[in-house]
Amino acid sequence: MKQKNVELLSPFKTIDKDQRYYLRGNAIVVYFSLYEYYPYVEGIPAFAIPLSAFKQ
């Protein structure tokens, strides 16, 4: 996936303890609401984090 620079609508602060996520393969995908950080045209912002990044 190609990354591009997109101006945030509001500054990113943190991932909340009740942040929405789902599992996909060997990753946890954290996602945010429309307009929370990006304009509608950019879609729903989601970020995959490999499960191996978490301590066991």
Side-chain angles (χ1 to χ4, degrees):
M1 177 184 283
K2 183 179 178 183
Q3 292 184 355
K4 57 184 173 177
N5 292 327
V6 178
E7 189 172 331
L8 295 175
L9 296 174
S10 62
F12 177 77
K13 294 179 183 174
T14 187
I15 295 176
D16 295 326
K17 63 181 178 179
D18 61 348
Q19 183 65 48
R20 289 170 286 180
Y21 69 93
Y22 59 90
L23 297 175
R24 182 178 66 198
N26 290 325
I28 183 171
V29 179
V30 177
Y31 64 97
F32 300 90
S33 300
L34 286 173
Y35 302 111
E36 191 171 354
Y37 290 110
Y38 292 138
Y40 177 83
V41 69
E42 296 299 330
I44 296 173
F47 306 92
I49 304 167
L51 293 176
S52 62
F54 296 93
K55 288 186 177 181
Q56 295 183 2

